[in-house]
Every structure is written in C-alpha cells, then in structure tokens.
Amino acid sequence: FPVTIDEVIIYNRSLSSQEVFRNYHQYAGYYNSSSDCYYMYDGFNSNFPMSACNGTYYLNGSSTTGAIILGSNTDFNCNGATFIGNFSGRGMYVSGKSNVTVRNCTIKNYLVGVRFESGTSNSTATDNIYVNNNYSVRILNVNSNYNNVFNSTFTNSYNEDVYISNAIGTKVYGNYFNSTYSMLLENTGGVPTVLTDVYNNTFYSKTDSVNIQSPNNTVRGNVFDRYYNRILVQKANNTLIDGNTFLNDNNQAWIDMPWNQANYNFILS
C-alpha cells in the first residue's frame, strides 16, 4: 500500500500495558524519559504509578469526571506541580477504585479539588496544597470507605475543605485548615457517615470547624485557634470529642444531642 511508516520498533516480547501507555505518551510528546514523568493534559487517565512533570497546568476538568482520572493501585505523584481550574470542573477524580494515592500537588480553583466517590476505598490524598476550591476534598457515596486525608494545607475553600458523606472509616490527620468551613460529616439519604477519626489537625477556620451531622465519629487531639463554634454536633449521637485544645475561643463544642462525650479538652485563652 502506498504509505510511508517511520520509527518502526519490533519487540521480541509482549509489552505490558504500562509500557504501551508510556510509549504512546512519549511519541505524543507527553512523556519525559530522562525525568520519568508525564506532562499533564485535560482528561489524562492514569492506571499506573507515575509522576507528573513539575510545572503549572491550566486544566479545567469536567463536571462529571475530572482533569486527571485515576485507576486502582495508582500512586499519582504530582512532584510539586500546580493544577489550576476555572471553578467549573473537578481536579483529581477517583470513582469505584481502590488503593489510590494523590500526593505532592497544588490544586486551585476547582469545583472539587479531589473527589473519591462510588465505592472508592483504601485511598489517600496526602501532602497536598488546596487553594480557592469550592470543595477541596469530597468523599461520598455508599462504600467509599477507609480513605485518608493527611498532612495537607487548605486555604479559602468556598464550601467545606473536606466533605464526607455516606462513608465509613475516613481518617483526617495532620492537616492545616484555614477556610470558612473546614469539615462536614453528613448523613445523606439515611446512610450515615461513621467511624471518622479527625485527629492532630490545626483548625484556623472562620466559623464551624467540624460540623458533625452523623453518628459514631471521633474528634481528638486537634488544635482550634479562632473564634466562633469549633465543633458543632447536631442530629448525631455517640460522638467522642477528646483531648482537643481550644485557643482564644468563645464556643468550644456545641452539642444538641445526648449520648455524646466531651472529655479531657483544654481551653486556653
């Protein structure tokens, strides 16, 4: 047939799906072999452990999926890269997957910065910086269980920094929150959010730092450093509030339901 084919490579073995992915992106100009990193584009779909090439990416994302779509068993290392949206789409999107890590990212101006949904489990968002998102992290839908939000900084989210709904066993540890509303644990459609452990965080929120509307959750060992309500428990029972430090505060913990415990907290002015 009258065509020309160049850059032909013939292998004496079958390539793995990861090798095929890498080769495709390398010839398309999206893989940097010397740094072993990928240049990002809108709708980038990752199913393997990989690093983004450091830089700033203006990716609007999608309102139904995301700018970056991650599969199971993916360690996605942003390598210090910054992702900037236009407030209409999602940044990092994981749906129904497990063992996913999103780390070392700066995520700005998204409708949702990181979204774990629909059965996503045992996944972690860690060591990230979130700025000016509507929601920075959302974990929601039935069976989105045992996920983690660790060691990150949240600034100027327009709604909650971390929103959790219908999820079991989420751990929120070692973060710094500086937005109007930091966390909401919600009971949606009669399916509770339970066994959430909020510990060793610093809250510099402008109003309700932790809003708990679902039973059987724990807030412990945190520092709350601003005025107004720090922990709001409503329509929830069996909440444990333990070992927290409240600085310069008017209202430490406001609880409107019985069967909750507030033990060994420290109020310092």
Side-chain angles (χ1 to χ4, degrees), residues 84-106:
I84 301 176
N86 65 355
F87 298 104
S88 65
R90 303 166 181 170
M92 310 294 168
Y93 176 74
V94 185
S95 178
K97 309 301 181 182
S98 61
N99 302 311
V100 179
T101 300
V102 178
R103 59 189 175 100
N104 300 324
C105 313
T106 296

Side-chain angles (χ1 to χ4, degrees), residues 211-246:
N211 187 338
I212 300 174
Q213 300 180 14
S214 197
N216 300 302
N217 295 291
T218 298
V219 181
R220 60 188 176 95
N222 303 283
V223 175
F224 295 86
D225 188 10
R226 204 155 183 171
Y227 288 98
Y228 309 115
N229 290 317
R230 304 305 176 80
I231 303 173
L232 175 63
V233 181
Q234 53 183 342
K235 302 176 183 178
N237 55 29
N238 298 319
T239 302
L240 175 62
I241 302 170
D242 184 76
N244 300 285
T245 299
F246 299 91

Side-chain angles (χ1 to χ4, degrees), residues 8-66:
V8 174
I9 301 175
I10 299 175
Y11 293 89
N12 62 358
R13 60 180 177 83
S14 297
L15 296 183
S16 70
S17 54
Q18 186 169 4
E19 288 173 315
V20 173
F21 182 91
R22 183 178 61 221
N23 289 347
Y24 169 82
H25 282 82
Q26 183 170 3
Y27 288 108
Y30 289 109
Y31 176 68
N32 184 327
S33 58
S34 62
S35 300
D36 189 23
C37 65
Y38 291 82
Y39 299 106
M40 298 289 104
Y41 55 84
D42 237 331
F44 189 97
N45 198 317
S46 170
N47 290 289
F48 312 102
M50 64 178 58
S51 295
C53 296
N54 196 351
T56 299
Y57 300 95
Y58 292 88
L59 307 179
N60 293 333
S62 162
S63 61
T64 56
T65 57

